């Protein structure tokens, strides 16, 4: 492993200056360089003569540079243009915002260009996606295209990587025994690295990719296994009830728990009673009743003599949780409070003092809960709601305010099972997969923007029957750069022109907390019939009487956000409707709209979302460190991921594997979550 840990500064072709450049690509060691994966490949034999090109083609050409120039657009964009010629004709190649090419792309050079052909006037242009210089050395083979930084060319980086493959690949450990490789149909690690960086053909590339993807997934699972083993060595709290508080809270619940809720409660209580600290992910679709389960866990904690903290991403959701818990704990003497950035300084000081003395037993808040001056007397349970809004370090900081408190993280954004098992390997999983009784499926329909009038007519008829409606917009105010219907202007249109006889309200994130609360309460009481709002209502608004949801420019939202917004209706027993108003232009946008029309099941939608966007976008790389995966794709490698998870359970660790883990995940698995 020492060779893999050695600095690349002393590799042939690097040196101090280039080493500093490579550090910008997070390449510092031989290990880093081997795992610096190509972002694509070019097959220089698969080219089209310029004379055969047509507008709309996605194609590749080989040609000579006949001249270059830089053009500035009215919007300040820089276009670098090169006139290219092959034996059949001429075409202009265009690079967007890359003026530095004037220093490297010169007349007389032979280059390879890949991109989309378009028509400007009566002339064809190729908008360049990939390009490479041809010097005769390797012009007729499949070559990798790497992520670069300023000062490093494809040619120089290829030479450095080839040198490392030649001189250092033999020191890379083979962690899979031959019988395991044969059983799983995997190549050896040496073949994998050689053919991922320089594939002979598509088959060799796919073979190499499969092995390296499996390597990553297995190492990730082993990392979780190691971390969980360390966690289990630490003695946690055993929460045992000392009074009848839990029984009182159960009696206050609005309905009998579903079987799925009872199952989740049983799993959570079992963890809380154990001497090992609980780490559990509670998944449930929008409206599935996660808050009720969380309330029972909170009651068990308080009944056992400890404090509970619930951290949520928005002030609106914090106040909603406080209101719900006050109902559930009605008739008890349990003191609770809400703490957010909007809390008055005097009130904040009083809350901090009451938490420190143990007077307050339940605290609900936003990021304010992880401030250094907030101290608990005896924190026993940490609940994180809408966990995807927080990083691992944030939830760890809250947990650090107690002595190994139990941790329950909740999400209403369902995560496909394989993805959850991989990303949340430190957490057990509970799933609420059924809705409370009496809930009807929300009828969802896409309506083209041009048919807006028909939507208004439908809403008008529903309002006459006593319904309430949401209109959700992407922006608060009009933007000259985006043709989006803003909440402010829509509010004015609806209140003055479309529904002058109905009370229309406006809610958005730029309002002060007191203003928001006034509007929300007025809507809950039915005084406001139509609420024009932004995505500030995505979580935390629960108005059972609201049965109409109109989402403006629906094509601009992702599936998860559309599903969350739709979940603001359908919370009572009346039939609810969701209207997706927009004008989708891309295949992905059309897919999202069709998926929303087809099902109300968040787990099915999550799987579809994963297919459309891929895991990095689905989870958000900032929160979940998916950039750690250089090869594996959790949307594609479902079967591989399952195999890796099974193998990890019985894997025999070689002595060097801890060093390997440190190299693969420099920031640790905790870092992969933040």
């Amino acid at each position: 492993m020492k060779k893999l840990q050695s600095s690349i500064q002393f590799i042939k072709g690097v040196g101090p200056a280039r080493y500093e450049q490579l550090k910008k690509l997070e390449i510092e060691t031989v290990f880093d360089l081997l795992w610096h994966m190509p972002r694509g490949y070019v097959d220089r034999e698969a080219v089209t003569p310029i004379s055969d090109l047509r507008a709309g083609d996605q194609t590749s050409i080989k040609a000579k540079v006949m001249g270059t120039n830089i053009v500035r657009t009215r919007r300040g964009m820089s276009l670098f243009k090169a006139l290219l010629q092959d034996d059949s004709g001429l075409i202009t190649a265009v690079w967007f915002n890359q003026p530095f090419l004037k220093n490297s792309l010169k007349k007389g050079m032979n280059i390879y260009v890949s991109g989309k052909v378009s028509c400007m006037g009566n002339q064809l242009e190729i908008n360049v996606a990939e390009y490479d210089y041809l010097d005769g050395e390797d012009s007729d083979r499949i070559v990798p295209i790497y992520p670069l930084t300023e000062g490093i060319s494809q040619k120089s980086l290829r030479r450095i990587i080839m040198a490392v493959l030649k001189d250092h690949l033999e020191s890379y450990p083979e962690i899979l025994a031959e019988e395991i490789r044969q059983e799983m149909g995997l190549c050896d690690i040496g073949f994998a690295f050689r053919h991922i960086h320089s594939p002979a053909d598509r088959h060799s590339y796919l073979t190499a990719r499969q092995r390296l993807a499996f390597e990553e997934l297995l190492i990730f699972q082993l990392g979780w296994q190691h971390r969980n083993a360390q966690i289990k060595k630490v003695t946690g709290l055993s929460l045992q009830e000392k009074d009848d508080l839990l029984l009182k809270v159960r009696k206050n619940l609005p309905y009998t728990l579903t079987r799925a809720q009872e199952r989740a409660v049983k799993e959570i209580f079992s963890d809380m009673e154990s001497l090992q600290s609980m780490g559990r992910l509670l998944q449930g679709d929008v409206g599935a009743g996660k808050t009720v389960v969380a309330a029972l866990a909170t009651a068990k904690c308080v009944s056992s003599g400890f404090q509970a903290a619930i951290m949520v991403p928005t002030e609106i959701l914090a106040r909603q949780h406080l209101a719900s818990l006050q109902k559930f704990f009605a008739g008890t003497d349990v003191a609770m409070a809400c703490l957010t950035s909007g809390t008055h300084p005097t009130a904040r000081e009083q809350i901090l003092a009451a938490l420190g003395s143990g007077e307050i037993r339940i605290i609900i808040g936003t990021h304010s809960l992880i401030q250094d001056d907030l101290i608990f007397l005896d924190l026993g349970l940490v609940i994180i709601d809408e966990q995807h809004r927080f990083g691992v370090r944030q939830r760890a900081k809250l947990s650090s305010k107690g002595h190994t408190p139990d941790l329950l993280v909740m999400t209403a954004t369902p995560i496909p099972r394989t993805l959850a098992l991989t990303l949340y390997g430190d957490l057990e999983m509970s799933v609420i997969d059924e809705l409370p009784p009496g809930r009807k499926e929300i009828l969802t329909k896409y309506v083209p923007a041009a048919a807006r009038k028909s939507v208004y007519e439908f809403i008008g008829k529903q309002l006459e029957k006593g319904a309430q409606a949401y209109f959700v917009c992407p922006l608060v105010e009009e933007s000259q750069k985006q043709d989006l219907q803003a909440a402010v202007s829509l509010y004015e249109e609806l209140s003055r022109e479309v529904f002058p006889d109905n009370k229309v309200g406006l809610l958005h994130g730029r309002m002060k907390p007191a203003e928001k609360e006034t509007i929300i309460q007025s809507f809950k009481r039915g005084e406001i019939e139509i609420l024009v709002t932004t995505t500030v209502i995505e979580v935390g608004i629960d108005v059972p009487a609201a049965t109409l949801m109109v989402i403006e420019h629906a094509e601009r939202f992702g599936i998860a956000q559309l599903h969350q917004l739709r979940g603001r209706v359908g919370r009572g027993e009346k039939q609810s409707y969701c209207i997706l108003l927009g004008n989708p232009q891309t295949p992905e946008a059309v897919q999202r709209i069709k998926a929303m029309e087809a099902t109300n099941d968040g787990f099915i939608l999550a799987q579809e979302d994963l297919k459309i966007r891929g895991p990095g976008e689905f989870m958000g790389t900032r929160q979940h460190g998916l950039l750690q995966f250089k090869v594996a794709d959790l949307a594609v490698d479902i079967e591989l991921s399952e195999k890796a998870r099974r193998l990890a359970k019985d894997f025999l660790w070689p002595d060097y594997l801890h060093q390997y883990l440190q190299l693969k995940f420099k920031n640790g698995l905790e870092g992969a979550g933040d």
Side-chain angles (χ1 to χ4, degrees):
M1 296 296 288
K2 276 190 174 182
K3 272 194 174 184
L4 296 178
Q5 292 170 295
S6 61
S7 171
I8 58 165
Q9 184 172 343
F10 307 106
I11 298 294
K12 183 180 178 182
V14 181
R18 187 149 284 168
Y19 173 67
E20 292 301 320
Q21 294 168 340
L22 288 168
K23 278 174 69 175
K24 295 176 183 176
L25 294 169
E26 299 184 357
I27 300 173
E28 297 183 49
T29 65
V30 169
F31 186 93
D32 296 336
L33 200 57
L34 286 170
W35 279 97
H36 187 67
M37 293 291 130
R39 56 182 169 83
Y41 301 86
V42 295
D43 183 352
R44 288 170 167 169
E45 290 298 288
V47 294
T48 304
I50 290 175
S51 61
D52 292 348
L53 298 181
R54 298 290 181 269
D57 288 352
Q58 190 76 38
T59 190
S60 303
I61 61 173
K62 281 196 290 189
K64 178 177 284 189
V65 178
M66 306 306 294
T68 66
N69 72 316
I70 295 177
V71 177
R72 290 276 177 187
T73 68
R74 290 180 182 177
R75 295 184 179 180
M77 184 181 291
S78 166
L79 302 181
F80 180 82
K81 295 190 174 186
L83 183 63
L84 305 182
Q85 182 179 44
D86 68 4
D87 293 338
S88 69
L90 292 161
I91 192 170
T92 299
V94 181
W95 288 258
F96 293 92
N97 286 329
Q98 298 184 54
F100 55 84
L101 287 174
K102 67 181 180 182
N103 300 319
S104 55
L105 197 59
K106 304 290 186 181
K107 182 179 179 179
M109 284 185 169
N110 292 307
I111 66 168
Y112 171 96
V113 166
S114 178
K116 188 171 184 178
V117 179
S118 61
C119 189
M120 293 297 292
N122 59 353
Q123 299 292 320
L124 291 182
E125 290 185 347
I126 181 166
N127 298 315
V128 180
E130 304 284 1
Y131 71 97
D132 200 14
Y133 304 111
L134 303 176
D135 57 9
E137 291 182 18
D138 57 2
S139 60
D140 293 324
R141 64 190 182 97
I142 298 172
V143 292
I145 301 294
Y146 293 101
L148 297 177
T149 189
E150 191 172 352
I152 296 184
S153 67
Q154 291 290 346
K155 183 177 179 180
S156 60
L157 187 54
R158 284 184 202 127
R159 283 180 173 173
I160 293 168
I161 290 177
M162 288 304 124
V164 166
L165 287 171
K166 179 182 177 183
D167 298 335
H168 296 275
L169 184 55
E170 63 181 23
S171 64
Y172 201 96
E174 174 57 84
I175 65 172
L176 296 181
E178 186 175 353
E179 57 267 26
I180 293 176
R181 297 201 306 271
Q182 287 181 353
E183 180 184 338
M184 296 192 171
L186 299 170
C187 65
D188 64 73
I189 197 68
F191 181 96
F193 276 116
R194 282 192 297 273
H195 288 270
I196 203 75
H197 288 292
S198 183
D201 50 37
R202 179 169 175 77
H203 179 264
S204 63
Y205 158 73
L206 292 174
T207 302
R209 187 207 168 277
Q210 185 179 37
R211 169 58 203 268
L212 292 175
F214 185 81
E215 185 95 355
E216 285 194 297
L217 293 165
L218 176 61
I219 291 299
F220 201 81
Q221 291 294 338
L222 291 172
W224 279 134
Q225 187 183 88
H226 173 65
R227 184 166 183 256
N228 292 341
Q230 300 306 308
I231 291 172
K232 287 178 181 178
K233 291 178 182 177
V234 179
T235 302
L237 304 170
S238 177
L239 302 187
Q240 306 285 344
E241 300 139 56
K242 299 176 181 178
D243 53 33
D244 62 352
L245 176 64
L246 191 57
L247 184 61
K248 290 178 180 177
V249 172
R250 270 193 179 267
K251 287 181 178 178
N252 287 335
L253 297 182
Y255 55 81
T256 303
L257 296 189
T258 64
R259 285 173 298 178
Q261 284 175 309
E262 288 286 13
R263 183 177 66 240
V265 168
K266 184 178 179 181
E267 291 166 348
I268 291 166
F269 281 12
S270 176
D271 285 356
M272 293 175 75
E273 291 167 5
S274 166
L275 274 173
Q276 288 181 0
S277 290
M278 174 173 72
R280 186 166 286 275
L281 171 66
L282 177 62
Q283 286 201 80
D285 212 339
V286 177
K290 296 179 299 300
T291 304
V292 170
V293 173
L296 292 174
T298 302
K300 183 175 180 64
C301 171
V302 173
S303 177
S304 303
F306 294 91
Q307 293 168 295
I310 303 173
M311 188 162 70
V312 300
T314 68
E315 183 166 355
I316 289 177
L317 185 54
R319 294 189 179 280
Q320 178 70 51
H321 273 318
L322 177 64
S324 297
L325 287 174
Q326 286 172 335
K327 289 179 184 176
F328 299 153
F329 282 78
T332 74
D333 59 356
V334 176
M336 59 185 73
C338 180
L339 184 66
T340 71
S341 59
T343 303
H344 190 277
T346 302
R348 184 177 187 276
E349 285 183 20
Q350 293 171 347
I351 290 171
L352 294 187
L355 276 172
S357 68
E359 179 186 343
I360 289 178
R361 307 309 294 167
I362 303 171
I363 184 75
I364 305 103
T366 55
H367 290 79
S368 299
L369 297 186
I370 58 176
Q371 298 300 310
D372 292 337
D373 60 346
L374 189 149
I375 298 171
F376 293 88
L377 178 67
D378 44 22
L379 181 62
L381 174 65
V382 169
I383 298 177
I384 310 291
D385 198 7
E386 296 300 324
Q387 58 77 32
H388 62 285
R389 304 283 190 93
F390 299 99
V392 168
R393 288 195 180 96
Q394 289 169 318
R395 74 189 196 205
K397 187 169 183 180
L398 182 53
S399 292
S400 71
K401 292 180 179 291
H403 176 68
T404 61
D406 288 331
L407 173 68
L408 178 66
V409 297
M410 306 194 298
T411 179
T413 304
I415 306 165
R417 181 175 178 274
T418 301
L419 192 58
L421 288 170
T422 301
L423 290 175
Y424 296 102
D426 59 333
L427 302 174
E428 298 296 326
M429 200 178 342
S430 292
V431 178
I432 304 178
D433 51 8
E434 59 182 315
L435 295 178
R439 296 283 175 90
K440 292 183 179 179
E441 186 171 288
I442 302 164
L443 298 179
T444 303
K445 183 175 178 57
Y446 161 68
V447 178
R452 174 182 295 274
K453 187 177 178 181
S454 65
V455 173
Y456 290 162
E457 290 173 354
F458 174 74
I459 297 294
K461 290 176 182 177
Q462 293 295 315
L463 292 175
E464 289 174 4
K465 299 176 183 178
Q468 288 175 275
Y470 295 98
F471 276 78
V472 180
C473 301
L475 290 181
V476 176
E477 295 170 352
E478 293 288 3
S479 167
Q480 293 179 352
K481 295 181 180 178
Q482 293 175 291
D483 59 336
L484 302 184
Q485 180 72 59
V488 174
S489 61
L490 181 62
Y491 163 74
E492 292 173 353
E493 179 190 344
L494 295 183
S495 58
R496 293 177 185 175
E497 302 170 23
V498 185
F499 301 109
D501 299 327
N502 299 96
K503 177 64 176 173
V504 183
L506 176 64
L507 178 70
H508 57 74
R510 295 183 191 175
M511 288 178 164
K512 292 180 180 178
E515 291 179 288
K516 292 179 190 174
E517 188 63 23
T518 299
I519 294 293
I520 291 169
Q521 292 305 321
S522 183
F523 189 56
K524 283 186 175 181
R525 291 192 296 268
E527 297 163 1
I528 291 176
E529 297 164 277
I530 300 171
L531 185 60
V532 180
T533 180
T534 61
T535 54
V536 70
I537 62 140
E538 184 181 346
V539 293
I541 302 290
D542 188 0
V543 183
T547 57
L548 301 165
M549 169 64 67
V550 180
I551 302 176
E552 298 275 351
H553 297 280
E555 71 276 7
R556 307 293 178 106
F557 295 91
I559 285 179
Q561 205 168 28
L562 288 172
H563 186 55
Q564 281 279 5
L565 290 169
R566 175 169 63 183
R568 296 311 99 203
V569 297
R571 305 180 83 83
E573 295 184 358
K574 292 183 179 179
Q575 181 63 59
S576 290
Y577 305 88
C578 177
I579 298 170
L580 307 175
L581 197 59
N583 185 27
Q585 298 290 319
T586 66
E588 292 79 13
V590 172
Q591 268 184 284
R592 293 195 296 270
I593 297 294
K594 285 183 176 179
M596 287 293 297
E597 286 187 300
T599 183
N600 275 237
D601 190 317
F603 290 92
I604 294 175
L605 287 171
Q607 191 65 51
E608 186 65 24
D609 198 12
L610 184 61
K611 290 177 187 174
I612 294 171
R613 292 196 290 160
E617 286 297 316
F618 178 86
M619 298 304 300
T621 54
R622 182 184 67 81
Q623 281 90 356
H624 294 275
L626 278 167
L627 293 179
Q628 298 280 2
F629 287 112
K630 304 287 189 179
V631 182
D633 181 340
L634 297 176
V636 174
D637 299 315
I638 295 173
E639 189 177 341
L640 271 186
S641 185
E642 289 285 356
K643 287 181 178 179
R645 196 169 60 86
R646 288 197 296 269
L647 180 60
K649 290 180 180 179
D650 303 313
F651 197 79
L652 296 176
W653 284 52
D655 294 337
Y656 57 77
L657 199 55
H658 287 97
Q659 291 174 287
Y660 191 5
L661 283 173
Q662 289 169 359
L663 284 168
K664 192 75 182 78
F665 302 106
K666 291 181 182 179
N667 298 320
L669 280 168
E670 293 89 343
D674 193 36

